[in-house]
Amino acid sequence: MDKILNIAIAEDHQVMIDGLTALLEEFDDLKVTIKAKNGVKLLEQLETHQPDVILMDINMPEMNGIDASLKVKEKYPKTAIIILSMFDDIKLIKECLKAGVDGYLLKETGIDELKEAITNVANGETHFSKPVAQKILQRKNKEKPRKSNFKPADLPLTLTPREIEVLQLICEEYTSNEIAAELYVSVNTVETHRRHLMEKTKSKNIAGLFRYALQHNLLLQS
Amino acid sequence: MDKILNIAIAEDHQVMIDGLTALLEEFDDLKVTIKAKNGVKLLEQLETHQPDVILMDINMPEMNGIDASLKVKEKYPKTAIIILSMFDDIKLIKECLKAGVDGYLLKETGIDELKEAITNVANGETHFSKPVAQKILQRKNKEKPRKSNFKPADLPLTLTPREIEVLQLICEEYTSNEIAAELYVSVNTVETHRRHLMEKTKSKNIAGLFRYALQHNLLLQS
DNA sequence: TAAAAAATCACGGTTTTCCGTGAGTTGAAA
DNA sequence: TTTCAACTCACGGAAAACCGTGATTTTTTA
């Protein structure tokens, strides 16, 4: 039971990678074997060898933590995933749960809980930060039906490349007119993309779109 | 010249504090003497003893890194400050420069550059990440005059408590009407606050407001 | 190659945001 | 005590966003 656990870190901030590594390697039974700056690179490295636990940031370029988790769980269902997120937004947590992650910690978490969570998920259990667990429990209550919204199943939340492009420009303070000019399409087209974006991200206005972009690491200049 | 440098870390994410500490203490000539979760706590601890270098995150609750830097430089002008930010937004960088910081690193930075930066600023020099330095140099070119905007000096960027309240609700997808109901004031009042917010933050729409809130860590649920 | 998904465009209508301008009240600091 | 910043309210107009509905073309994929 005291075998060494191999850890993968997927995280875009180099200081954070370095810091986490230094931190975890103070434990004799933990070893950081994989460091990746985004989901794509993580998957590449997983082909060589699989760790016991993956510490996954959500905000990563190229491929974010949620999409990466989905793919990892597809190929290596036995590998445990702990999400390390700055946000305890219920929408986001739900997406992660759906992706099959085994734990969800906030970055406010200290090393002690982190270590505990790693041990737990390595043993096949789950581990969620208190605030996160609370949100999960509360969620049923807060399901607020938005206008006439009786969609049977969940929407496919995947945005198309074009939609992402539009979303990014929206977050850069572009108006629909300006976006149309930038992308060489009609304003009507842009507005259609906007409509789809609002639906897919379940937003009510630009603030909601920005929030989504932020949490899924779609912002341009970041 | 080889004396031990005392470092302060001001950063709201506990894992990051722990990680940075573990990382820095691998160097014999660095010692982390202060750890603070926000600007207020940092200032409290500075009264006891001053470090040589402060590693300052921008996104902190209570008091953000910019305001904290201002106060620190007021009281302890000899203490060097390095900003550790996720954003290389020119607006933000300018605010930091105005606050008198000695360095500005992105969180993508690795440990090597971090160490180098610490040494540099401790020697009275400055240190800016490449992308940051570039933005600083480019800034003259990009000064885009906004409509009829010929303000002589810089506006006071400090938002009033009420304005912050309104801003936060805007970022929560509230409409002006909803905000008015929430705060028990007239819609006209809310719209006035909005107008002031747009001016002070130099925004063109909600996206700009959200960006400002994000970068100054004014978001509610984070 | 047929079906599905993505991207394109149109149009009319409602709501919200944005903008300018002006002004009264209040509490705190000079 | 007056000056000032913060907060409050009003109104009108323009611009942008939001919403519904429907439709064509292109690209991808099964």
Side-chain angles (χ1 to χ4, degrees):
Chain A
M1 185 65 96
D2 276 291
K3 70 157 197 168
I4 290 182
L5 294 177
N6 290 319
I7 313 288
I9 298 176
E11 157 74 59
D12 61 333
H13 297 311
Q14 186 63 47
V15 253
M16 193 70 181
I17 295 183
D18 293 343
L20 275 175
T21 306
L23 208 51
L24 295 176
E25 303 226 315
E26 287 183 358
F27 296 96
D28 295 331
D29 56 339
L30 299 185
K31 185 145 189 261
V32 178
T33 55
I34 291 181
K35 304 174 186 181
K37 285 213 170 186
N38 61 55
V40 178
K41 287 184 182 167
L42 173 68
L43 287 168
E44 278 172 21
Q45 293 200 56
L46 284 183
E47 289 181 7
T48 318
H49 55 290
Q50 292 89 45
D52 300 289
V53 180
I54 301 175
L55 295 182
M56 180 97 72
D57 186 21
I58 290 191
N59 290 50
M60 291 187 295
E62 298 295 324
M63 185 191 292
N64 68 42
I66 296 174
D67 294 339
S69 295
L70 266 171
K71 302 235 169 171
V72 169
K73 281 291 176 183
E74 247 174 50
K75 281 197 177 178
Y76 320 100
K78 288 187 180 168
T79 303
I81 300 177
I82 296 176
I83 296 288
L84 262 182
S85 171
M86 297 196 296
F87 310 105
D88 59 342
D89 188 288
I90 182 61
K91 285 186 199 170
L92 205 61
I93 296 172
K94 279 167 74 177
E95 286 184 54
C96 290
L97 288 177
K98 238 179 268 176
V101 306
D102 304 279
Y104 191 117
L105 299 180
L106 299 177
K107 288 197 174 170
E108 292 140 37
T109 307
I111 175 61
D112 301 330
E113 192 183 347
L114 179 58
K115 170 70 163 88
E116 201 188 316
I118 291 176
T119 314
N120 286 348
V121 300
N123 287 330
E125 299 163 33
T126 58
H127 190 114
F128 297 89
S129 284
K130 260 224 182 75
V132 177
Q134 287 177 339
K135 297 255 171 144
I136 295 175
L137 294 176
Q138 288 170 4
R139 85 186 137 145
K140 296 290 172 194
N141 320 335
K142 285 192 177 173
E143 298 287 75
K144 42 185 172 183
R146 202 183 289 299
K147 286 189 175 175
S148 57
N149 213 4
F150 291 104
K151 307 291 165 55
D154 289 74
L155 306 170
L157 337 115
T158 43
L159 305 183
T160 69
R162 199 56 155 177
E163 283 165 354
I164 291 178
E165 215 171 341
V166 172
L167 175 57
Q168 289 175 329
L169 293 175
I170 291 173
C171 294
E172 294 292 322
E173 294 186 67
Y174 282 58
T175 67
S176 291
N177 258 307
E178 291 168 343
I179 296 172
E182 180 78 17
L183 301 182
Y184 302 106
V185 293
S186 132
V187 190
N188 300 303
T189 303
V190 176
E191 302 242 282
T192 301
H193 287 312
R194 286 189 92 120
R195 197 154 354 95
H196 293 158
L197 281 169
M198 305 281 289
E199 288 165 10
K200 287 187 178 179
T201 65
K202 300 188 177 68
S203 298
K204 291 159 79 177
N205 58 32
I206 295 181
L209 292 180
F210 200 112
R211 184 176 226 84
Y212 182 94
L214 170 64
Q215 295 178 339
H216 293 75
N217 204 240
L218 297 172
L219 295 180
L220 274 182
Q221 54 149 168
S222 182
Chain B
M1 185 63 94
D2 275 293
K3 73 155 192 167
I4 289 182
L5 293 177
N6 291 320
I7 313 288
I9 299 177
E11 157 74 55
D12 60 334
H13 297 310
Q14 187 62 47
V15 252
M16 194 71 181
I17 295 184
D18 292 343
L20 275 174
T21 307
L23 207 54
L24 295 176
E25 302 225 315
E26 285 182 359
F27 296 97
D28 296 331
D29 56 339
L30 299 185
K31 186 148 186 257
V32 177
T33 55
I34 292 181
K35 305 173 187 182
K37 285 213 171 189
N38 62 56
V40 178
K41 288 184 181 166
L42 173 69
L43 287 167
E44 278 171 22
Q45 294 200 55
L46 285 183
E47 289 181 7
T48 318
H49 55 291
Q50 292 88 45
D52 300 288
V53 179
I54 301 175
L55 295 184
M56 179 98 71
D57 185 20
I58 289 190
N59 290 51
M60 291 186 296
E62 299 293 324
M63 185 191 291
N64 67 43
I66 297 174
D67 295 340
S69 296
L70 266 171
K71 301 235 168 166
V72 169
K73 281 291 177 183
E74 247 174 48
K75 282 196 176 177
Y76 319 100
K78 287 187 181 170
T79 303
I81 298 178
I82 296 176
I83 295 287
L84 262 182
S85 171
M86 298 196 296
F87 310 103
D88 60 341
D89 189 290
I90 183 62
K91 285 186 198 170
L92 207 60
I93 296 171
K94 280 166 74 176
E95 286 184 54
C96 290
L97 288 177
K98 238 179 266 177
V101 306
D102 305 278
Y104 191 117
L105 299 181
L106 299 179
K107 287 196 173 171
E108 293 140 37
T109 307
I111 175 62
D112 301 330
E113 192 183 347
L114 179 58
K115 172 69 163 84
E116 202 187 317
I118 291 175
T119 315
N120 285 349
V121 300
N123 287 330
E125 299 164 31
T126 58
H127 190 113
F128 297 89
S129 283
K130 260 224 182 75
V132 177
Q134 286 177 339
K135 296 257 171 144
I136 296 174
L137 294 176
Q138 288 170 4
R139 84 186 138 146
K140 296 289 173 195
N141 319 337
K142 286 193 177 173
E143 300 285 76
K144 42 185 173 184
R146 202 182 291 296
K147 286 189 173 173
S148 56
N149 212 4
F150 291 104
K151 308 290 166 56
D154 289 77
L155 307 169
L157 329 122
T158 43
L159 305 183
T160 70
R162 199 57 157 175
E163 283 166 353
I164 291 178
E165 217 170 341
V166 171
L167 175 57
Q168 289 175 329
L169 292 176
I170 291 173
C171 293
E172 294 290 322
E173 297 185 65
Y174 282 58
T175 66
S176 291
N177 258 304
E178 292 168 341
I179 296 173
E182 180 79 16
L183 301 182
Y184 301 104
V185 294
S186 133
V187 190
N188 299 304
T189 304
V190 176
E191 303 241 283
T192 301
H193 288 312
R194 284 189 94 119
R195 198 157 350 97
H196 292 157
L197 281 168
M198 305 281 290
E199 288 166 9
K200 287 187 178 178
T201 66
K202 301 187 178 68
S203 299
K204 292 159 78 178
N205 58 32
I206 296 182
L209 292 180
F210 200 112
R211 186 181 284 290
Y212 183 94
L214 170 66
Q215 295 176 341
H216 293 75
N217 203 243
L218 296 172
L219 295 182
L220 275 182
Q221 55 149 165
S222 181

